[in-house]
Amino acid sequence: MVDVLITNGPWLIAIAAAFGFLMAWGIGANDVANAMGTSVGSNAIIIKQAIIIAMIFEFAGAYLAGGEVTSTIRKGIIDSAYFVDSPELLVYGMISALLAAGIWLVAASALGWPVSTTHSIVGAIVGFAAVGVSADSVAWSKVLGIVGSWVVTPAISGFIAFTIFQSVQKLIFNTDNPLENAKRYVPFYMALAGFVMSLVTIKKGLKHVGLHFTNVEAYSLALVVAVLVGIGGMIAIKRLKMSKSADQQTQFGNVEKVFAVLMVVTACCMAFAHGSNDVANAIGPLAAVVSVVNSGGEIASKAELVWWILPLGAFGIVMGLAIFGKRVMQTIGKNITHLTPSRGFAAELAAASTVVIASGTGLPISTTQTLVGAVLGVGMARGIAAINIGVVRNIVVSWVVTLPAGAGLSIIFFFMIKGIFS
């Protein structure tokens, strides 16, 4: 059956590339909109600025730090031993998985649902492997871990966001002189943000470029960044011209301006880390197809990336965001709860902290669910009435549907593609 790969090789690679681009487009439309939604929703930046920031940093993350080598089968969800005798099934499966996940992401983005790109592709891969090949080829314990993360990650990030926002309220907003207290405490929040964001970037972003840090080095480097950011923040805030005699409302406005600056920085770091991490959802299966076809049916656990794969993924992400990202941004930034820069900052910092915790403990994580959990946490800090329950219900339903939707679509496409080529 390897003959199929030799005779139709260029076609299979071309189709995989097209569907890989669709998948990257979906990631841009859905996931990146999550990373930017809090900044836009809290009016720290406008949509146009968000798209430009995301374009630069997502592209940089995906292209510079997306990795020369990628795991062909994401997160070890299926066992490649089942495909050794019929490598063409893996090729058909990965192509159908990309198409299935891509279509689901585009549909979800059109409806404004923030779903998980990782779970979409995992569901699609599980679907074709379980039905098309063998139910034993799927590592079901890993799939269960992912289902468990639906509850765990939003809960962790929600709790952290709730705590951060409560502290901002107590130390700054609920005091007689919010402005003075902002000058006193905001540098510490900046330092904390610097610490977490540099950790996210070091752990998620830089390991692919060949910069490998031990844990001690990573944390030391992050501490240095934190101190520098804190000092820089102190100097910057001292320079801000704000009238102290202003009434409480004006002072609140001035404090929010400080947080708005912070949000832009956190958004840039999140975009970079996200680009480096999640581009693999689109290019992993594509790299698998290219590697199996080019090697005449040999399945390697890691695939060298052909030169055009990373730019294709990075470009797809940017296009998806620019053309289609608005709706999910609206859901995250405006529809769940009313965000101000200080609330948005608490949510983004909590989401980033959860990413650090998860990558340290090996929890399977979805950026989307982390962020939604964090926004909910900030909303909860203001009482349940501050949250739009209807929107949250739709989001949770869309999360539950993601795995089976990806799986169902990929099973249909798998048998179609198998029928066409064999």
Side-chain angles (χ1 to χ4, degrees):
M1 279 309 283
V2 178
D3 307 346
V4 177
L5 296 182
I6 295 167
T7 46
N8 297 319
W11 277 111
L12 290 166
I13 289 179
I15 294 168
F19 295 165
F21 183 80
L22 174 73
M23 174 71 187
W25 203 84
I27 293 175
N30 203 293
D31 248 20
V32 182
N34 294 326
M36 289 288 153
T38 42
S39 311
V40 174
S42 62
N43 297 328
I45 47 178
I46 57 173
I47 286 218
K48 213 181 229 163
Q49 291 166 326
I51 289 173
I52 293 167
I53 290 176
M55 279 177 167
I56 297 167
F57 286 92
E58 286 281 338
F59 194 88
Y63 192 68
L64 297 175
E68 283 89 57
V69 178
T70 181
S71 303
T72 47
I73 298 166
R74 288 291 277 152
K75 317 260 191 255
I77 292 289
I78 54 175
D79 181 358
S80 59
Y82 284 84
F83 298 91
V84 173
D85 297 332
S86 47
E88 74 282 357
L89 292 184
L90 183 65
V91 171
Y92 302 156
M94 287 302 181
I95 291 175
S96 52
L98 282 171
L99 179 58
I103 287 178
W104 169 246
L105 284 175
V106 172
S109 306
L111 292 163
W113 293 346
V115 295
S116 163
T117 51
T118 311
H119 296 173
S120 309
I121 193 75
V122 165
I125 290 175
V126 166
F128 88 79
V131 176
V133 183
S134 156
D136 300 336
S137 66
V138 178
W140 291 106
S141 58
K142 293 249 169 97
V143 178
L144 271 175
I146 288 173
V147 173
S149 75
W150 289 347
V151 181
V152 179
T153 40
I156 296 172
S157 66
F159 174 72
I160 297 173
F162 181 86
T163 314
I164 294 173
F165 185 62
Q166 285 285 36
S167 73
V168 172
Q169 285 284 58
K170 281 209 169 55
L171 295 174
I172 299 173
F173 286 108
N174 298 348
T175 58
D176 295 335
N177 196 337
L179 203 55
E180 275 308 302
N181 286 325
K183 287 185 176 176
R184 186 175 306 143
Y185 293 115
V186 167
F188 289 104
Y189 288 111
M190 289 177 139
L192 178 63
F195 180 72
V196 173
M197 287 299 167
S198 47
L199 259 187
V200 170
T201 313
I202 292 164
K203 285 208 175 281
K204 286 266 186 214
L206 297 179
K207 61 172 189 265
H208 307 297
V209 200
L211 292 174
H212 292 283
F213 295 98
T214 61
N215 271 343
V216 178
E217 287 169 346
Y219 282 95
S220 317
L221 196 61
L223 265 175
V224 172
V225 174
V227 172
L228 292 175
V229 169
I231 293 169
M234 238 153 89
I235 297 166
I237 291 172
K238 283 220 166 68
R239 284 196 171 163
L240 285 176
K241 296 273 178 283
M242 305 182 197
S243 62
K244 290 184 181 168
S245 57
D247 62 345
Q248 202 103 10
Q249 221 39 49
T250 319
Q251 287 202 20
F252 282 165
N254 287 335
V255 174
E256 290 292 1
K257 274 183 200 146
V258 178
F259 278 105
V261 177
L262 259 181
M263 285 219 61
V264 178
V265 180
T266 50
C268 294
C269 296
M270 280 300 270
F272 183 83
H274 178 268
S276 65
N277 203 39
D278 274 24
V279 71
N281 289 332
I283 65 174
L286 172 55
V289 171
V290 175
S291 134
V292 173
V293 171
N294 286 345
S295 65
E298 197 182 311
I299 298 169
S301 63
K302 299 268 188 205
E304 285 288 335
L305 285 188
V306 189
W307 66 269
W308 52 267
I309 293 184
L310 258 182
L312 177 99
F315 186 63
I317 285 180
V318 167
M319 291 296 291
L321 170 82
I323 298 168
F324 223 57
K326 225 178 242 178
R327 292 180 181 176
V328 179
M329 277 195 208
Q330 178 78 19
T331 303
I332 290 266
K334 298 242 197 281
N335 298 356
I336 298 178
T337 186
H338 176 66
L339 288 178
T340 58
S342 55
R343 292 171 199 158
F345 167 72
E348 284 226 318
L349 187 54
S353 308
T354 312
V355 171
V356 171
I357 294 166
S359 66
T361 52
L363 265 176
I365 189 171
S366 145
T367 344
T368 311
Q369 294 175 349
T370 313
L371 199 78
V372 170
V375 172
L376 277 175
V378 171
M380 291 296 271
R382 295 164 52 229
I384 197 92
I387 294 174
N388 185 335
I389 299 294
V391 172
V392 177
R393 188 184 56 231
N394 289 348
I395 291 174
V396 172
V397 169
S398 72
W399 288 355
V400 176
V401 175
T402 294
L403 272 175
L409 285 170
S410 104
I411 291 164
I412 297 167
F413 296 142
F414 177 70
F415 286 111
M416 280 164 64
I417 292 168
K418 192 175 163 185
I420 293 167
F421 281 102
S422 47

